[in-house]
Amino acid sequence: MRCYPMSSILPIIPYILGIVGVVVYFSSTTHAERNQDFNIHSLFIGFLYGVLFALFAIIILKIESLFHIYDLNSTTVKSWIAKGGYLSSFWLYFPKRYILPVFILSPILEEFTFRYLIMGRLVRRFGFAIAFNIFISVIFTTGHLYSIGPSIYVFIVSLALGVLYLRKGIGASILAHASFSVSLILLTFLTYL
């Protein structure tokens, strides 16, 4: 029998829960509720918030890099710049294997896991939206330590995604998360031009 270390199993738990969250969402909501969660206004607000979150994160990352807390993965950025560094060549050197998981699957599954399945259910059952948003943001930030390292912006963006979910619905938080991921990567490369 093969034994897998916990460090290889832990990162996939939110994705498994995300799939459960998607199934629960579609089985427990009506068509009208889904239309309300995914209306064009909420999606547009989510997109704009995601871009603004990315701008905020770049500023935080720049401040952190001044104090050598976190470096914007400078080896990847510097190698890209050495190969030409133009925005048109960005997609040539950006690892294609990251597009589906980072820009599509992660926002959908993480938002369904953290916002809808866990936070949404706790808030509906007990109230205390602020306390549960902080609690879920701590868990969300802890879960991202292995992939992007320690940074305060993950916690703050997670809090903002929670507020967006509570006010505009799951569609807005998913699109904000997706547009945040795309914008953050593009802005990270643009800041080194």
Side-chain angles (χ1 to χ4, degrees), residues 119-141:
M119 186 175 108
R121 298 243 169 186
L122 289 172
V123 169
R124 280 191 291 279
R125 178 142 186 185
F126 301 109
F128 308 114
I130 294 170
F132 285 123
N133 192 12
I134 293 169
F135 172 70
I136 292 302
S137 295
V138 168
I139 295 172
F140 186 84
T141 303

Side-chain angles (χ1 to χ4, degrees), residues 42-110:
S42 293
L43 296 177
F44 182 70
I45 294 293
F47 172 78
L48 287 179
Y49 273 66
V51 173
L52 291 174
F53 296 161
L55 289 169
F56 168 76
I58 287 294
I59 292 167
I60 296 295
L61 286 170
K62 285 293 190 181
I63 292 169
E64 288 179 349
S65 67
L66 289 175
F67 296 101
H68 304 291
I69 297 171
Y70 186 73
D71 194 5
L72 287 169
N73 197 3
S74 61
T75 55
T76 303
V77 175
K78 287 176 184 171
S79 67
W80 173 69
I81 291 172
K83 293 176 184 175
Y86 299 107
L87 188 58
S88 60
S89 66
F90 168 76
W91 292 110
L92 294 175
Y93 301 108
F94 183 76
K96 304 299 185 277
R97 67 182 182 273
Y98 293 142
I99 292 174
L100 181 66
V102 171
F103 300 150
I104 299 169
L105 291 179
S106 286
I108 292 170
L109 296 178
E110 288 177 4

Side-chain angles (χ1 to χ4, degrees), residues 1-75:
M1 184 172 167
R2 189 168 192 174
C3 183
Y4 294 97
M6 283 303 288
S7 62
S8 64
I9 296 170
L10 285 176
I12 65 168
I13 291 173
Y15 296 105
I16 294 169
L17 288 173
I19 293 168
V20 170
V22 170
V23 171
V24 168
Y25 176 79
F26 281 100
S27 65
S28 66
T29 57
T30 65
H31 183 69
E33 290 170 323
R34 290 191 294 273
N35 281 344
Q36 185 178 357
D37 278 346
F38 290 94
N39 69 51
I40 193 73
H41 180 261
S42 293
L43 296 177
F44 182 70
I45 294 293
F47 172 78
L48 287 179
Y49 273 66
V51 173
L52 291 174
F53 296 161
L55 289 169
F56 168 76
I58 287 294
I59 292 167
I60 296 295
L61 286 170
K62 285 293 190 181
I63 292 169
E64 288 179 349
S65 67
L66 289 175
F67 296 101
H68 304 291
I69 297 171
Y70 186 73
D71 194 5
L72 287 169
N73 197 3
S74 61
T75 55

Side-chain angles (χ1 to χ4, degrees), residues 152-170:
I152 190 71
Y153 84 86
V154 177
F155 179 74
I156 294 170
V157 169
S158 180
L159 285 174
L161 287 171
V163 170
L164 191 60
Y165 164 72
L166 292 170
R167 293 181 184 240
K168 295 292 181 183
I170 191 71

